[in-house]
Amino acid sequence: MFDARQLTTSEHVWAQRYQFLVKNGYRLRSRYRPEWKPSWVKEDGTQDRLAAFLAEDSIPLTHASLLDAERISDGKTVILKYVSVESPEIRIGRYLSDRDLRSLPQNHSIPLLDVLYDPADLGHAILVFPLLRPITFPEFATVGECVDFMNQALEGLAFLHEHEIAHRDCAAANIMMDARLMFPNGWHGINMARLPNGKPSDPGITRTEAGYVRYYFIDFGLSSRGEYSVKGTQGIEPAPELEDGANEAYDPFKLDIYMLGMAFKDSILNRTRGAEFIVQPLLRSMLVKDPDRRPTPQDCIKLLEDLASPLSARAKSARLRPYSPKRENFVKTHILDSLNYLANFRRKPLEPPKENPSIDPLS
């Protein structure tokens, strides 16, 4: 049984690198510092359960290879990822984070901020990324929010393909958002239901209320560049061409189209109701079983534009409903739809700020 008073085996690995990280400009939370003692444990050894729940240093890591840290130079939260030095994430991440490419608004790849080679294990490195948030936490609230997300994701995929990069694992879990405008008070690097200090999080605001949210592809650990025929079945999302086994070659760029289509299905259609008329026509082309019949990202962008451009501002601000109809009765639906209309009918459509359309997540 997990005991928050004790570090797990994976946490010990990070704690042992505390001083190395400090020397390189990153400070782990108090839980991983030398001589750490649980803040909620009393002098007599007893513990206050409520205090333990609210204590920031009671929050453990949830993935062995991922941990949050403070960038000492400016106090901002970053995410550390422990990877093999052979991981494509280093080479491709560095390429995409080049100053010239990183400034382009079409580049929706998470910036690689730093690479630290582990002196205690020469076969591994620690990558430093900005803190982002899952795309479904919170869910999409309006049709327009879905359109904006799909357009940004397709734009980002087109950019990757133009640079001969196939992501090969662009499932919904590997697309995240810069949600700082939605959550002005921030969120905890590991437990997003908490504030940075460990207290329960506030509800934040919607993407529409925030005015703009930018989406990023993460996790390039399976990605390839300049390869048009590859093998391998690893990844989050299954696909038709992966069913024949690891020895069958396939086009990774066509695979990306299928996987991104499944990401749209998983993050929108499988979680909400109300955007089917936009999403389903797009998926009919992206999820074709025969890879050769799938469209390019540019084809998908054009189709999405054709589907969305006729929509009025009111249609784009239409509220999405829960996937399960049991969660709302007719009266509740009518009230929430009316409140949503009153709140959004005069709002401008989601668009990047003109003064900085690329938006560095750590700017």
Side-chain angles (χ1 to χ4, degrees):
M1 183 177 179
F2 173 72
D3 184 351
R5 294 171 296 179
Q6 304 294 326
L7 297 183
T8 66
T9 301
S10 297
E11 288 182 305
H12 274 293
V13 173
W14 286 105
Q16 291 165 2
R17 288 153 177 79
Y18 180 86
Q19 296 297 349
F20 165 72
L21 289 167
V22 168
K23 289 179 181 179
N24 284 275
Y26 305 97
R27 182 184 293 114
L28 298 181
R29 291 186 282 119
S30 62
R31 180 176 177 86
Y32 306 103
R33 297 174 187 174
E35 309 302 326
W36 168 71
K37 295 181 180 180
S39 63
W40 66 92
V41 176
K42 301 176 182 179
E43 293 184 1
D44 61 3
T46 61
Q47 58 178 324
D48 184 323
R49 298 292 181 180
L50 177 59
F53 174 76
L54 296 175
E56 190 280 332
D57 62 327
S58 71
I59 300 175
L61 59 79
T62 53
H63 298 282
S65 62
L66 296 172
L67 188 61
D68 58 315
E70 174 193 358
R71 189 166 64 179
I72 296 173
S73 62
D74 57 14
K76 291 184 178 179
T77 302
V78 294
I79 293 296
L80 308 180
K81 184 176 183 179
Y82 200 66
V83 303
S84 165
V85 294
E86 302 296 328
S87 173
E89 196 156 16
I90 299 177
R91 173 174 51 86
I92 292 177
R94 279 177 163 159
Y95 173 80
L96 291 168
S97 297
D98 174 80
R99 183 184 300 273
D100 292 336
L101 292 185
R102 182 169 166 177
S103 63
L104 297 176
Q106 299 87 0
N107 186 354
H108 290 266
S109 309
I110 186 171
L112 176 57
L113 304 175
D114 206 349
V115 179
L116 308 175
Y117 290 95
D118 185 1
D121 183 350
L122 300 181
H124 287 84
I126 297 173
L127 309 186
V128 183
F129 296 105
L131 175 66
L132 300 176
R133 195 173 177 96
I135 56 175
T136 55
F137 197 14
E139 310 280 6
F140 296 100
T142 68
V143 170
E145 292 180 3
C146 294
V147 171
D148 179 60
F149 159 61
M150 292 189 292
N151 187 67
Q152 287 195 45
L154 289 167
E155 178 183 64
L157 189 63
F159 179 87
L160 292 177
H161 288 188
E162 287 167 4
H163 288 265
E164 298 186 284
I165 296 172
H167 190 286
R168 298 173 63 181
D169 197 18
C170 49
N174 283 335
I175 308 174
M176 301 188 78
M177 60 181 176
D178 176 6
R180 289 174 300 165
L181 296 177
M182 298 171 63
F183 295 88
N185 294 324
W187 60 90
H188 193 275
I190 296 298
N191 187 339
M192 281 164 293
R194 304 283 192 90
L195 291 170
N197 61 9
K199 301 298 187 291
S201 177
D202 54 57
I205 58 177
T206 68
R207 295 162 173 84
T208 304
E209 292 169 328
Y212 180 67
V213 170
R214 186 166 172 83
Y215 299 94
Y216 292 87
F217 288 103
I218 69 165
D219 196 351
F220 289 83
L222 297 178
S223 302
S224 55
R225 184 172 182 231
E227 299 180 49
Y228 290 84
S229 181
V230 300
K231 296 181 181 180
T233 60
Q234 292 178 310
I236 296 175
E237 191 68 60
E241 53 263 54
L242 301 181
E243 294 174 355
D244 294 330
N247 294 322
E248 295 295 325
Y250 59 87
D251 183 337
F253 299 95
K254 296 294 186 181
L255 175 68
D256 277 355
I257 294 295
Y258 185 91
M259 287 194 166
L260 186 56
M262 287 301 298
F264 293 162
K265 182 179 180 181
D266 292 341
S267 60
I268 301 173
L269 291 188
N270 289 352
R271 305 177 75 93
T272 61
R273 295 296 187 197
E276 295 88 343
F277 70 103
I278 290 285
V279 183
Q280 286 177 344
L282 195 59
L283 296 192
R284 278 196 289 269
S285 64
M286 298 178 72
L287 300 183
V288 173
K289 188 171 183 179
D290 181 0
D292 292 332
R293 294 176 54 209
R294 292 174 198 156
T296 65
Q298 290 84 353
D299 294 333
C300 295
I301 291 172
K302 178 62 168 61
L303 176 56
L304 180 59
E305 181 181 359
D306 291 342
L307 292 167
S309 58
L311 298 179
S312 65
R314 181 172 182 177
K316 288 183 179 180
S317 67
R319 186 181 70 91
L320 300 183
R321 299 175 179 84
Y323 181 82
S324 173
K326 295 181 180 179
R327 292 174 59 185
E328 280 189 14
N329 57 36
F330 173 79
V331 175
K332 184 176 181 180
T333 294
H334 179 71
I335 293 174
L336 293 178
D337 284 350
S338 299
L339 291 174
N340 176 77
Y341 172 72
L342 292 173
N344 294 326
F345 81 103
R346 286 187 176 179
R347 292 187 190 277
K348 295 180 179 180
L350 291 167
E351 59 182 17
K354 294 180 180 179
E355 63 276 9
N356 183 14
S358 60
I359 298 192
D360 184 331
L362 283 177
S363 60

